Amino acid sequence: MCGIAGLLELDGAPASAPLVQRMIDRIAHRGPDGDAVWIEGPAGLGHRRLAIIDLSEGGRQPMLSRSGRYAITYNGELYNFRELRAELQALGHTFQSRSDTEVLLSAFEQWGLDALTRYNGMFAFAIYDRKLHTLTLARDRFGVKPLYFTQQAGTFLFGSEIKALLSHPAMKAELNREALVEYLTFQNFFSQKTLFRGCDLLPAGSWMTISADGSRRSGRFWDFAFAEPEHPHKEARYLEELDHLFRQAVKRQMVADVPVQSYLSGGMDSGSITAVASREAPNMRTFTIGFDLSSASGLELSFDERARAEAMSARFKTEHYEMVLKAGDMERAMSHLVYHIEEPRVGQCYPNFYAAKLAAKFGKVVLSGAGGDELFAGYPWRYYRAVVNDNFDDYIEKYIGFWQRMLSDQELRSVLGPIWSDVSHVSSREIFRNVFSQHAEQLNRPEDYINHSLYFEAKTFLNGLLVIEDKLSMAHGLETRVPFLDNDLVDFAQAVPVGMKLGNLGEIVRLNENIPGPKSTMFFDQTRDGKLILRHAMQKFIPEHVTKEIKQGFSAPDASWFRGESIDFVRRTLFDTNARIYEWLDANVVRNLVLEHLEGKKNRRLLIWSLLYLEEWCHQFLGPADSSKI
């Protein structure tokens, strides 16, 4: 796990070693164990190292292939590198190190872009072909590792974080107004845009090759493909296979030359991972974040899972550590949080920041339960399950309403009043629809709708969660691994019949995730309908009562805190008409929306968090306000 950055001068000018060094210095937190720069002609590759596999100098990057033709800078881990190494040795390859980097590079030399389909792991890398003078970027199947790129003043730049790109003198931080529309609609980015103008995120499962003349080729080597099997097996066979693949996935991701730890929320996914991992590594460390609920109400009263996590830790005999967050911890973390995340994404993610900070005090690697919900339908209230005989466009119209997480179309137009004439052409529906570009087909059964919904969620919501997880763990020099996103386990999960994941397929269960208080508890009873086969399979690892509990996300009681202990922070930031965000947003409209929350009329927690984040983002990356525009 590391940080990478580099450039290709498209006019043939020699690459600047000091510039590449500045790029990797900006992301030094990602790799405290060493750094190096490789320069040849117009190409420059930089690397910050977090040593996990082969701690010797043999794993040092940037690395040249044995033939000398290719140079690589790589961030990630290949969990099947030993199997690939044996296969490559049979083909005549020799190796000087025990690192997965050398295996990845040799595989690329042997099979070219076809090697991408053979890698089982998380990765973002850049390979320079010294013969053809081309630069190839690639990102893993699921998007666990981010990779950003831009072209500025005849220079192509790439990096694990946008901060690295901002080291180039031609790269100025400017707000992307079109992307702002996307974010204020979905609290996420469904396209490859970022909030930084001119800077894109390479899509998951994709590659791009840049030639010396600046021309680009790109493609996708893998995509999610949830589908109902034509001839389903009996449930017992699926359970047997799931048991095998889950154990295999966890064991694969335990491969490291440093201790491996685990998050332990008290729920099913992290608990099951810890159950298997603790057998491989006795006395492993586990970590839980809890919340002060003294001022919480409604559903938020159940948000502290420490008691369940402690019981699980006792069961698996782990060395367990906890941290309790209070309302003020959000404000304290905001500056660091925004600096490291850069582009905002889904949810209020500061609890994850503290979780990574805690785990990093004790080691370099931690296991996470991310992906289990998206693969096995863990959010039943998000799926349309009885809208049969509609065409695809009708499905889009009905489904987009749920994912407009913060503002309706009318509210969005009012909030963006100062710049609406510049962004009115941006169609949220087209952005939403384009996620399904390869899947616009007639839908005839509830199962078809659900598989489309699972595809959408994996491509968007999960992608956002993974970007957040990477940035916040690497902010502390910590590598997060996600066993549910093992190639074989994902392939299996996509082919499990929907009826084995979800119950009550004949009903439509919808939930507004913003609904406060007791009125929403009736919906949460339905969350036991999700992940049915996973619940059944995990009974081998964790207590049965845990597998039967309702679904609960990892969230702080922010709805209550924004009305209570954090109200001064909210008012001070968002009721200041000189706030930086009001260069683009209407201050009066925003004030009224925020008041709806403070007065208990409507839950606007997602919007308030996002506005607080955007204001800090402006100060961090855009600098002082232009008073003439406010």
Side-chain angles (χ1 to χ4, degrees), residues 8-77:
L8 182 64
E9 297 291 357
L10 304 179
D11 60 1
S16 166
L19 174 56
V20 177
Q21 184 66 52
R22 287 199 301 273
M23 294 176 73
I24 60 172
D25 286 346
R26 289 291 298 275
I27 56 173
H29 49 274
R30 297 185 70 94
D33 296 331
D35 68 283
V37 169
W38 178 87
I39 301 290
E40 182 173 276
L45 306 180
H47 190 265
R48 293 289 319 197
R49 188 181 186 194
L50 181 66
I52 303 293
I53 295 176
D54 190 352
L55 310 185
S56 73
E57 285 298 298
R60 185 178 175 87
Q61 298 183 53
M63 180 183 290
L64 293 179
S65 63
R66 293 299 301 274
S67 68
R69 176 173 173 175
Y70 299 101
I72 187 173
T73 183
Y74 153 59
N75 167 33
E77 304 288 356

Side-chain angles (χ1 to χ4, degrees), residues 175-232:
L175 183 137
N176 184 334
R177 296 184 176 195
E178 293 183 356
L180 181 62
V181 177
E182 191 172 347
Y183 178 68
L184 289 177
T185 303
F186 305 116
Q187 206 195 27
N188 200 357
F189 299 101
F190 293 170
S191 67
Q192 66 185 57
K193 289 186 174 70
T194 72
L195 202 57
F196 292 79
R197 183 180 178 187
C199 179
D200 287 349
L201 176 65
L202 187 71
S206 296
W207 58 270
M208 175 189 294
T209 297
I210 304 92
S211 300
D213 62 1
S215 61
R216 302 181 193 177
R217 295 184 301 112
S218 61
R220 184 178 299 281
F221 65 87
W222 189 87
D223 198 5
F224 287 98
F226 291 92
E228 195 72 4
E230 292 185 13
H231 305 289

Side-chain angles (χ1 to χ4, degrees), residues 69 82 91 97 108 116 119 143 148 169 195 207 233 241 288 326 372 375 401 436 447 501 519 524 532 597:
R69 176 173 173 175
R82 290 172 176 166
L91 293 171
S97 73
F108 187 87
L116 295 170
Y119 300 147
Y148 298 91
L195 202 57
W207 58 270
H233 306 296
E241 185 68 5
T288 297
K326 300 169 290 298
L375 291 173
F436 301 93
E447 291 84 356
K501 296 178 181 179
K519 290 183 179 180
F524 275 82
L532 298 182
H597 182 93

